[in-house]
């Protein structure tokens, strides 16, 4: 099809313009002026999770920069999926005012050589064009301003320079950076000199591209040959790049929280964020003055307090929430005695859902050993936790051990045993320093943990040094992950300490769903394989900083990923915080300044490593992708409770890798109006 034929498909012929050769009938059609195309917020759908109206809830969300995106649903009967002004005919969106195959309605085709004009089939030969085409033209008005991604639309006007002898349709098409409405402007011999408005919305994408431009192109379609095919200028729109950031710890009335918030966890779809806070103004009736756990719904903008028992507010602090991938349940540890019956005397694990609050661990009479740390599988079916309390007869030592609880039937297994399911030699450390936070794969088939116990795996190092392990809960096989790249030799203090540091310890271990890829932090001087000619395959570790390593269980290889873009070693310590279910993305924090270009804040930041591309990007930033002046932080209350190894996280990632949450003292959005108070922010990455 020729370009002219394609344009003719959209023609609007509303009248004839006579000359000496013969007069055409006046087709005087209706004014085709374009309607205001102002975009409406097409917020995320309810994707599941808690299905209850919070009774203890906060104010509407006051801090999402992802506002005002164009809604894909059509107006005036247009079905979802079509741009406003178009109609779904079969599986194609069409303009029934100009489409000759669907003129005035679906499947109402015009006769051959006829065109569709204002929903009426018309003979294009009915208009004899004027003899002064030089006067014809289309003028664009100035753009009203810069368009901010996620912000309000900007506009400009379009008007004809001279009266046409027939209707003129000016199509309006945005490029990949902008969305323009309406899709076409219809001018007639009656309204040709009345400016019509085009609304332009910046596409809120997930690229860190800086301020840039978008282009709206125009094509005139008419049987008046002085306008048909006329070259029209493009409209260039200045676009301001913005990140997808939402303020989570928002108080009643849309203001800042009056206490520190931290330890956030996010559902797979980003709708639900669980977090801990010392604030008293996040919900109504909070008079306890202690640390609570909350659930934020980013769609409704409401907040619910979870650690509330039959007697009301908890009488002890609550820590470190974990959330199921679908947001349907949240687990937390609490030192409160009044959340269930019988009263707890130590820290216990509780599960919240819309059905109510349930204690998952059973207190024992006279026990002083509580729950040290825990994790919830992404599918919400399993809980792994560490405690020095002997929960099963197989636990015959005095050290902290790791247990996994299957929620469907209450089945409990002791997983910190060797491959022969034998107890290890207890560490000389106190129990709270012999275990750290475990991590479960999405379905609970694999669990990883750190331990300073001796004899868990072979060969053994014979000293109480934190090593990281991965357990296949089906085969009962235990693998040491903190091993050198050349096989299974463990990384130990005396033989492996890098120059200038004692080194050796490994911690913060996470596992992908297949159980093969394990990520962990270590200060150990892990040795790397040599190539066929004796050449190094990886840069040797020469610092005492903690680095991030990925262990491939199947190939028994270890790779360091916390490296600068030029391959240099990181100039600061890093801490692993998670791996996605598919093993592609790894979240970690680091005080290093050379992992990305432009890191000048001298503070700890959150980074995402892509195992497919090998790229590291910083994911803790402000609304303009600007670095945080104070970086990310973790208030000290959780460090006191869990100890150095099990302290709460400064950031978290969804199991899908689409969302990241972090804690910062920086005020990133207007709703965060407090000073020097830690707040939670949610970032959508893709």
């Amino acid at each position: 099809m020729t370009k002219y034929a394609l344009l003719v498909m959209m023609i609007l012929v509303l009248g004839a313009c006579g000359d000496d050769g013969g007069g055409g009938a006046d087709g005087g059609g209706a004014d085709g002026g374009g309607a205001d195309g102002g975009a409406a917020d097409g917020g995320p759908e309810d994707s599941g999770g808690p299905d209850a109206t919070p009774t203890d809830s906060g104010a509407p969300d006051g801090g999402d920069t992802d506002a005002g995106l164009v809604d894909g649903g059509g107006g005036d009967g247009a079905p979802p999926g079509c741009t406003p002004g178009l109609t779904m005919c079969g599986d194609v969106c069409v303009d029934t005012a100009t489409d000759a195959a669907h003129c005035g309605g679906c499947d109402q085709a015009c006769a051959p050589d006829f065109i569709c004009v204002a929903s009426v089939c018309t003979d294009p030969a009915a208009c004899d064009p004027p003899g002064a085409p030089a006067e014809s033209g289309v003028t664009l008005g100035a753009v009203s301003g810069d368009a901010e991604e996620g912000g309000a639309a900007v506009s400009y006007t379009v008007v004809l320079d001279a009266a046409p002898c027939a209707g003129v349709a000016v199509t309006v098409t945005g490029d990949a950076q902008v969305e323009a409405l309406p899709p076409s402007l219809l001018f007639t011999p009656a309204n040709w000199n009345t400016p019509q408005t085009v609304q332009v919305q910046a596409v809120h994408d997930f690229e860190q591209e800086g301020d840039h431009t978008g282009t709206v192109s125009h094509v005139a379609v008419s049987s008046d040959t002085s306008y048909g095919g006329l070259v029209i200028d493009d409209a260039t729109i200045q676009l301001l790049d913005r990140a997808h950031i939402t303020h989570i710890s928002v108080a009643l009335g849309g203001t800042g929280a009056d206490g520190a918030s931290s330890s956030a966890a996010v559902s797979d779809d980003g709708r639900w964020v669980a977090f801990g806070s010392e604030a008293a103004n996040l919900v109504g009736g909070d008079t306890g003055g202690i640390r609570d756990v909350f659930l934020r719904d980013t769609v409704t903008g409401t907040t619910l307090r979870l650690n509330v028992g039959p007697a009301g507010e908890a009488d002890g602090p609550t820590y470190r929430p974990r959330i199921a991938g679908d947001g349907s349940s949240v687990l937390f540890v609490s030192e409160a005695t009044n959340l269930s019956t019988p009263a707890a005397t130590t820290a216990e694990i509780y599960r919240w859902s819309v059905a109510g609050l349930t204690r998952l661990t059973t207190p024992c009479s006279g026990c002083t050993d509580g729950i040290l740390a825990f994790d919830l599988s992404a599918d919400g079916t399993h809980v792994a936790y560490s405690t020095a309390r002997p929960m099963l007869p197989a636990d015959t030592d005095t050290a902290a051990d790791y247990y996994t609880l299957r929620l469907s039937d209450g089945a409990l297994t002791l997983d910190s045993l060797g491959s022969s399911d034998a107890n290890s030699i207890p560490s000389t450390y106190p129990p709270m320093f012999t275990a750290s936070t475990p991590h479960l794969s999405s379905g609970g088939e694999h669990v990883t943990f750190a331990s300073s116990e001796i004899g868990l795996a072979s060969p053994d190092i014979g000293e109480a040094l934190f090593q990281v392990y991965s357990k296949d809960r089906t085969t009962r096989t235990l693998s040491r992950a903190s091993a050198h790249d050349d096989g299974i030799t463990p990384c130990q203090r005396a033989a492996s300490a890098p120059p200038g540091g004692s080194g050796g310890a490994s911690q913060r271990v996470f596992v992908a769903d297949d159980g093969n890829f394990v990520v962990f932090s270590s200060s150990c001087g892990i040795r790397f394989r040599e190539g066929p000619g004796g050449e190094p395959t990886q840069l040797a570790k020469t610092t005492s900083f903690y680095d991030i390593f990925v262990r491939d269980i199947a190939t028994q290889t270890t790779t360091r990923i916390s490296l600068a873009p030029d391959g240099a070693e990181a100039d600061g310590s890093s801490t692993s915080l998670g791996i996605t279910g598919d093993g592609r993305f790894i979240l970690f924090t680091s005080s290093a300044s050379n992992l990305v270009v432009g890191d000048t804040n001298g503070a700890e930041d959150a980074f995402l490593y892509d195992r497919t591309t090998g790229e590291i990007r910083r994911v803790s930033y402000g609304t303009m992708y600007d670095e945080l002046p104070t970086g990310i932080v973790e208030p000290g209350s959780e460090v006191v409770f869990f100890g150095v190894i099990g302290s709460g996280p400064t950031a978290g990632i969804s199991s899908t890798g689409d969302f990241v949450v972090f804690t910062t003292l920086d005020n990133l959005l207007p709703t965060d109006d407090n000073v020097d108070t830690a707040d939670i922010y949610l970032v959508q990455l893709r």
Side-chain angles (χ1 to χ4, degrees), residues 442-467:
S442 293
E445 299 89 351
H446 305 272
V447 63
T448 53
F449 58 88
S451 178
S452 60
E453 296 188 34
I454 300 171
L456 279 177
S458 179
D460 189 62
I461 62 174
E463 61 175 327
L465 178 68
F466 267 100
Q467 301 282 323

Side-chain angles (χ1 to χ4, degrees), residues 57-292:
S57 59
D61 187 353
D64 191 348
T65 63
D66 186 7
L69 291 178
V70 174
D71 189 335
D76 294 333
C82 287
T83 302
L86 301 183
T87 300
M88 181 72 76
C89 290
D91 58 356
V92 179
C93 294
V94 301
D95 186 348
T96 57
T98 60
D99 193 308
H102 307 279
C103 191
C106 291
D107 301 323
Q108 298 181 20
C110 295
D113 298 327
F114 273 56
I115 57 177
C116 185
V117 179
S119 302
V120 177
C121 292
T122 306
D123 182 356
C127 177
D128 191 5
E135 299 177 2
S136 303
V138 178
T139 297
L140 307 183
V143 180
S144 61
D146 296 342
E148 181 177 302
E149 290 187 356
V154 297
S155 63
Y156 62 93
T157 59
V158 179
V159 68
L160 302 190
D161 295 342
C165 73
V168 178
V170 177
T171 63
V172 179
T173 307
D175 63 7
Q177 297 290 342
V178 294
E179 295 174 335
L181 291 174
S184 64
L185 306 172
L186 307 179
F187 293 93
T188 72
N191 76 342
W192 66 271
N193 58 352
T194 300
Q196 298 186 37
T197 301
V198 175
Q199 300 279 343
V200 183
Q201 190 89 38
V203 172
H204 200 177
D205 56 27
F206 299 99
E207 301 298 324
Q208 297 184 31
E209 52 200 339
D211 293 346
H212 51 293
T213 61
T215 301
V216 181
S217 58
H218 315 83
V219 174
V221 185
S222 179
S223 61
D224 181 339
T225 56
S226 62
Y227 277 102
L230 183 70
V231 176
I232 304 175
D233 292 338
D234 293 335
T236 300
I237 314 298
Q238 299 296 321
L239 307 178
L240 306 179
D241 199 18
R242 295 294 182 265
H244 292 251
I245 294 183
T246 303
H247 184 200
I248 297 301
S249 49
V250 181
L252 288 165
T255 59
D258 60 8
S261 302
S262 62
S263 300
V266 58
S267 63
D268 289 346
D269 63 359
R271 175 172 180 173
W272 309 97
V273 179
F275 64 99
S277 183
E278 298 169 356
N281 64 342
L282 298 180
V283 296
D286 189 346
T287 62
I290 58 175
R291 184 178 182 83
D292 294 303

Side-chain angles (χ1 to χ4, degrees), residues 76 92 112 146 161 257 299 338 360 367 374 427 431 456 475 497 507 532 541 552 575 582 618 632 634 662 671-672:
D76 294 333
V92 179
D146 296 342
D161 295 342
V299 172
N338 65 340
L360 298 182
C367 281
F374 75 99
S427 167
L456 279 177
T475 65
Q507 57 176 326
K541 180 171 173 59
D552 186 323
T575 301
D582 61 5
R618 181 162 50 178
I632 57 176
E634 177 66 25
F662 61 82
T671 49
D672 187 0

Side-chain angles (χ1 to χ4, degrees), residues 286-361:
D286 189 346
T287 62
I290 58 175
R291 184 178 182 83
D292 294 303
V293 165
F294 301 88
L295 183 65
R296 180 72 171 179
D297 184 340
T298 63
V299 172
T300 64
T302 54
T303 301
L304 179 67
R305 182 166 51 165
L306 306 185
N307 58 321
V308 178
E313 293 184 291
D315 61 5
T318 303
Y319 304 93
R320 187 66 156 75
R322 301 293 296 164
I323 191 169
D326 63 1
S328 62
S329 61
V330 176
L331 269 65
F332 54 82
V333 168
S334 181
E335 294 180 294
T337 65
N338 65 340
L339 293 182
S340 61
T341 303
T345 59
T346 59
E348 305 293 344
I349 300 177
Y350 296 84
R351 178 180 185 267
W352 176 92
S353 70
V354 293
L357 190 65
T358 305
R359 184 170 59 197
L360 298 182
T361 49

